[in-house]
Every structure is written in C-alpha cells, then in structure tokens.
Amino acid sequence: MDQNKKTILKSFSPVKVLIPVFLGLAATAWLFIKDDKVSELKGLAQANIWWLVAALAVLVVRDFGYMFRIRHLTDKFLTWRNSLDVIMLWEFASAVTPSVVGGTTVATIILNKEGIPLGKSLAYVMLTAVLDNMFFIVAAPIALLVSQGEVFPTFNLDPSDVAKLKSAFYISYGLIAVYTFLMIYALFVKPRAFKWLLLRATSIGFLRKWRVNAFQHGNEIMWASQQLKGKDTAYWTKAIVSTVFVWSARYFLLNCLIAAFVDVDFSEHLLIISRNLIFWIVMLIAITPGGAGIVEMAFPSFFGLFLGGFSSVVVVLYRLITYYPYLILGSVFLPKWISKVFGRQQQESEVNV
C-alpha cells in the first residue's frame, strides 16, 4: 500500500474519530449532571432563531473563506471543488488530532495528492500556519488592550485558578511567537542557515537520534522557501486579508450563539471576541484531539458571565455546529477522496506500464 495512503488511513482511523466524540460527550454530560442542569435544555425553545441562522451563515462563510484562501495560496491550481475536499479533510484532521499537533502532515499529503508538487505543498501548509499564528500574535495584544484587563475570566474561579489561566495563556502565546518567528526566519530569511542550526543542534549526544529527521526537515524548509520566492504584493495582501477574515468569522460565530439567548450590546460583543481569542490561544496547548473535553469544561468559566443559566446549552450548540459536523463530513469526504486520488494514481501507473 502507498505510504501516503497508510498515513491518511492511520490519521483518520475510527478509533481516532471515536476518542474525541467520547471525550466531548462525557464532558458535556458531566456539565449537565454535576449541577443538575438538564432542565436548561428547555432554554433551546427561547433561542432567537435569527441569531442561530446567522451562526450557521457565518460558519458557511468562514469555510468559503478557507476555500478562497487555499485556492489563492496555490495560485488557483485547486478548483473550487478540490478546495472543498482539502478544507473538509484538513478540518477533519484538526478535529482528530491534538491542537498542539494539528493536521499539518496530513494537509501536506492531501495537497500533494491533489497534484501539487511536494515542495509547494509543504510551502503552502507552512505558510498557512505562519499566517494563522501571526493573526494570534497581533490580535492578542489588541484584545488585551480593548478589554482593559477584563479579557481573563474570573467567573466562578478562584484567584489561584485565574493566575494559572493567565500563565497558560502567556506560555501558549510565547510558544506560538517563538515558533512563528523561527518559521519566518527559516522560510523568508535564511533557510540554509536554519538547516545548519538544526544539524548543529542534533550533533549533541542525546539529540543525535533526531539528526536524520533534522536533515529532512531542513531540506523541506529549503524547498518550501524556494516556492515562496517572488510572490507579489497582491498575493500577500489577499493571503493576509483572507486570514483575518476567516478567523474573525470563526470568533464571531460564538457571538451569534450567545446573542441568540441573551441581549448583547456592542461593548460586550467586543469582549466576547477578545475572550474567544484568549480562549483559543490557551486551547492550542490542549492535549486532547480538537480540544475535546477540555473546551467543554473551560467554556463556562470564559463565557458564563454573559450567559448565566444558558452556558451549558450554548457550549453544546457551539460544539455541535463547529466541531462534530467536521467529524461527520470528514468521514463522508474521506472515502470518496481516497478513491479519487489513489484510484487515479493506480490508473496512471497501469498506463505507464
């Protein structure tokens, strides 16, 4: 079996799909049972239907933004249909892997199997990671400034828990910043020097076992860097604007869900977006697939101030809209995509013979 096919099937195995489902459902059940909040489900009948429709519309618009971005980054090599396959499978990969790992390896294989050379596939995936992380790096200080210190939740939290939360945020933010600026240096400044640094680092005794991987990663960085040279201003402008658009839509979706249950004024909308940004930066170091279980448990502390008795209901809706559908859609798209790309590959091999 093709090694790439093995990697894809291993990454999307039924066990890896069931683990986040189990963790998420267990955490959700615990939220309702621990404080006897099952009756809160009746609150669904009180939801403003138009805000719920708006949430679904934002979700669709966000995914369209992701499709536009990947199609633009590949210089329109991908068709809209192929872009849909890539985004659905990429989201699927992100949903079944820990946030700190992400679906980058699988995303590279997906792009490569869509006919994009490996060097370019690596470049596009790395560039996407850099763009996303730069959004966090720039937006987080703005959120801290706009919220005037209220961005960190204190609702139902002890001062010690708030301190731990702040520490988790600053650690996560620091790791993102270090990783991103290293990637920028490697991709756009000195790719060969970065490879040399990797090889020098892995020449130390206890790091020698990673030397082969360092050599390979260094080569990948150099390939990717070569592919990104010579891009014009329009290319970078559209890449940056589309990144800001998709992440803004991702965060505003929660605003729509909260507004469906409680009245939210403009300043509260800004605070919710700011908290959502901090929330997801903290969640980036989550060790469970897609943050399953951890997101559900942490959600009431961040947004319970706005929702009161509706926090458990909204977190269920939020995950039902933004997380579980990608597990289902990925399971639908994956067999068809494998049949398409690997079946095509087999046909080409037979023709060449």
Side-chain angles (χ1 to χ4, degrees):
M1 184 186 293
D2 187 301
Q3 185 59 42
N4 286 333
K5 188 173 182 180
K6 286 183 180 179
T7 302
I8 291 286
L9 293 175
K10 183 179 179 181
S11 299
F12 296 139
S13 66
V15 173
K16 289 195 173 184
V17 175
L18 291 174
I19 288 174
V21 171
F22 173 77
L23 290 173
L25 292 178
T28 301
W30 185 82
L31 282 175
F32 281 101
I33 294 171
K34 73 174 183 124
D35 294 322
D36 193 23
K37 293 185 176 181
V38 177
S39 59
E40 286 186 12
L41 292 173
K42 297 178 181 178
L44 287 171
Q46 303 175 33
N48 184 315
I49 187 65
W50 295 113
W51 275 113
L52 295 180
V53 171
L56 293 174
V58 169
L59 182 68
V60 172
V61 169
R62 186 201 72 177
D63 285 347
F64 176 79
Y66 276 126
M67 291 166 58
F68 173 87
R69 184 174 70 163
I70 195 62
R71 190 165 182 264
H72 168 70
L73 293 181
T74 61
D75 292 311
K76 297 185 179 180
F77 178 89
L78 295 176
T79 64
W80 285 109
R81 180 65 182 82
N82 290 345
S83 297
L84 176 63
D85 288 340
V86 169
I87 294 304
M88 289 298 105
L89 293 174
W90 200 332
E91 288 288 331
F92 187 28
S94 298
V96 298
T97 54
S99 300
V100 71
V101 175
T104 53
T105 300
V106 174
T108 302
I109 295 174
I110 292 170
L111 289 176
N112 183 229
K113 287 303 174 182
E114 286 290 350
I116 299 174
L118 180 60
K120 286 188 176 182
S121 297
L122 284 165
Y124 298 143
V125 172
M126 290 178 183
L127 178 57
T128 299
V130 168
L131 288 169
D132 289 342
N133 289 345
M134 280 303 300
F135 176 84
F136 298 143
I137 291 169
V138 174
I142 296 174
L144 291 170
L145 181 64
V146 169
S147 66
Q148 298 180 345
E150 295 182 18
V151 70
F152 293 105
T154 57
F155 183 73
N156 284 344
L157 290 177
D158 294 328
S160 60
D161 292 329
V162 176
K164 291 176 183 176
L165 183 61
K166 289 182 178 180
S167 297
F169 164 75
Y170 288 117
I171 290 172
S172 182
Y173 183 86
L175 291 173
I176 292 170
V178 170
Y179 170 78
T180 303
F181 289 122
L182 276 176
M183 289 298 296
I184 290 173
Y185 176 80
L187 284 172
F188 304 109
V189 184
K190 296 285 186 180
R192 189 174 295 276
F194 182 76
K195 177 183 176 181
W196 180 83
L197 286 172
L198 288 178
L199 293 176
R200 288 289 295 176
T202 51
S203 65
I204 302 172
F206 71 95
L207 295 177
R208 283 184 182 276
K209 61 181 178 180
W210 289 294
R211 190 170 179 78
V212 173
N213 289 336
F215 179 79
Q216 181 180 350
H217 189 56
N219 285 339
E220 290 172 351
I221 289 288
M222 292 178 66
W223 298 339
S225 177
Q226 189 65 35
Q227 301 302 325
L228 295 173
K229 285 183 178 179
K231 299 297 184 182
D232 58 20
T233 303
Y235 180 89
W236 294 111
T237 300
K238 289 182 179 179
I240 293 169
V241 170
S242 60
T243 298
V244 173
F245 175 82
V246 295
W247 281 103
S248 298
R250 179 184 284 268
Y251 292 136
F252 187 66
L253 188 149
L254 179 58
N255 288 60
C256 294
L257 290 179
I258 292 176
F261 290 89
V262 295
D263 293 329
V264 181
D265 60 32
F266 181 73
S267 62
E268 288 174 328
H269 272 295
L270 291 179
L271 181 56
I272 291 169
I273 291 175
S274 298
R275 282 201 177 179
N276 205 355
L277 175 64
I278 302 302
F279 179 63
W280 278 108
I281 289 178
V282 173
M283 289 300 108
L284 284 174
I285 59 176
I287 60 173
T288 59
I294 298 176
V295 170
E296 288 83 355
M297 299 291 287
F299 187 92
S301 295
F302 273 84
F303 305 105
L305 174 67
F306 308 100
L307 289 163
F310 293 110
S311 59
S312 298
V313 173
V314 172
V315 71
V316 171
L317 279 177
Y318 182 60
R319 294 298 265 177
L320 281 175
I321 292 174
T322 64
Y323 183 65
Y324 293 109
Y326 294 105
L327 294 176
I328 298 171
L329 289 171
S331 300
V332 172
F333 275 78
L334 181 62
K336 295 180 180 179
W337 182 81
I338 287 178
S339 176
K340 179 184 74 172
V341 299
F342 290 100
R344 180 178 63 206
Q345 183 183 50
Q346 183 175 357
Q347 290 175 1
E348 289 174 353
S349 299
E350 291 173 352
V351 170
N352 292 332
V353 172

